[in-house]
Amino acid sequence: MTTSLASILIADDHRLFNDAVAAMLRPMFKSIWQTFDGRDLLYAIQTHSPDLLLLDINLPNLNGIEAARMLRRNTPSLKIILVTMYNHSHFVSEAKSIGLEGYLLKDSPSDVLIDGIKTVLSGGYFFDPKLQKQNNSTDDDFVKGFLLSRREKDVIKGLLAGKTSEQIANDLSIAYETVKSHRKNIYLKLGINSLVELIHISREQGWIN
């Protein structure tokens, strides 16, 4: 495919970032579309049939990882690049296991993004060079990388100890609804949907055996 004739869909709920990337890419490619929501993303794929999807992980209503799994099953010809702030091996491994073509970090220079897009559209794979710098990450790096708050760490510890949301609320002297809100935010930040996935990530980090 001649890359300049390609069509690209950008799925990111941060409108300033989404608009900035769209404005940058429009002079280079045939068609650029935008969506800001996980559920709307699936409709946009059906409507526009893009060649390439730039996909954020933290999308409302349907996170990017789950959307990527669905799209890989239902639209296997679609090329997908995750574009995210998360520089962590868990998500990189997940992207590779799903069979995605690329993984780019939002704080990388624009020429890296463009190089990645052109590489993938030409049939290759592109994983951000900055990902190689995370091999010696610590627990603190993991927490900072996922933007977890101190209270969210406390909730995670409670969940890993097998406690219910009610028990965690009592232990931390906070409202039950507050724990539910923290739990929802934790799942969103980690790109997961269940306690089983939280346990899996925690084992990877050596938090539990």
Side-chain angles (χ1 to χ4, degrees), residues 140-163:
D140 285 342
D141 293 330
F142 174 74
V143 170
K144 291 175 183 177
F146 286 102
L147 306 179
L148 295 169
S149 69
R150 179 183 60 81
R151 186 61 82 193
E152 286 167 349
K153 286 175 61 179
D154 292 338
V155 171
I156 289 174
K157 289 178 181 178
L159 293 171
L160 296 179
K163 296 181 179 180

Side-chain angles (χ1 to χ4, degrees), residues 80-203:
I80 302 174
I81 299 176
L82 284 181
V83 184
T84 178
M85 60 186 170
Y86 296 137
N87 182 357
H88 195 269
S89 58
H90 169 73
F91 282 136
V92 178
S93 297
E94 191 72 23
K96 291 179 178 179
S97 70
I98 295 171
L100 305 190
E101 286 77 12
Y103 193 111
L104 289 165
L105 297 171
K106 285 186 174 181
D107 61 354
S108 291
S110 58
D111 59 335
V112 173
L113 173 63
I114 294 168
D115 188 24
I117 290 171
K118 290 182 176 179
T119 297
V120 169
L121 285 172
S122 299
Y125 292 81
F126 192 95
F127 286 76
D128 201 305
K130 291 174 68 175
L131 296 172
Q132 300 172 5
K133 299 179 181 179
Q134 66 181 6
N135 293 334
N136 296 319
S137 62
T138 65
D139 273 2
D140 285 342
D141 293 330
F142 174 74
V143 170
K144 291 175 183 177
F146 286 102
L147 306 179
L148 295 169
S149 69
R150 179 183 60 81
R151 186 61 82 193
E152 286 167 349
K153 286 175 61 179
D154 292 338
V155 171
I156 289 174
K157 289 178 181 178
L159 293 171
L160 296 179
K163 296 181 179 180
T164 66
S165 294
E166 291 89 344
Q167 290 172 322
I168 294 171
N170 289 333
D171 289 346
L172 300 178
S173 299
I174 58 178
Y176 168 71
E177 291 299 324
T178 302
V179 174
K180 286 179 62 179
S181 178
H182 284 315
R183 188 168 181 167
K184 180 179 179 181
N185 288 334
I186 290 165
Y187 284 13
L188 180 62
K189 289 179 179 182
L190 298 182
I192 60 178
N193 296 294
S194 68
L195 180 58
V196 171
E197 289 177 289
L198 177 61
I199 293 171
H200 176 72
I201 292 178
S202 300
R203 281 181 176 149

Side-chain angles (χ1 to χ4, degrees), residues 45-58:
I45 294 291
Q46 293 179 341
T47 302
H48 302 300
S49 298
D51 300 302
L52 172 69
L53 170 64
L54 299 179
L55 178 62
D56 188 22
I57 290 176
N58 283 347

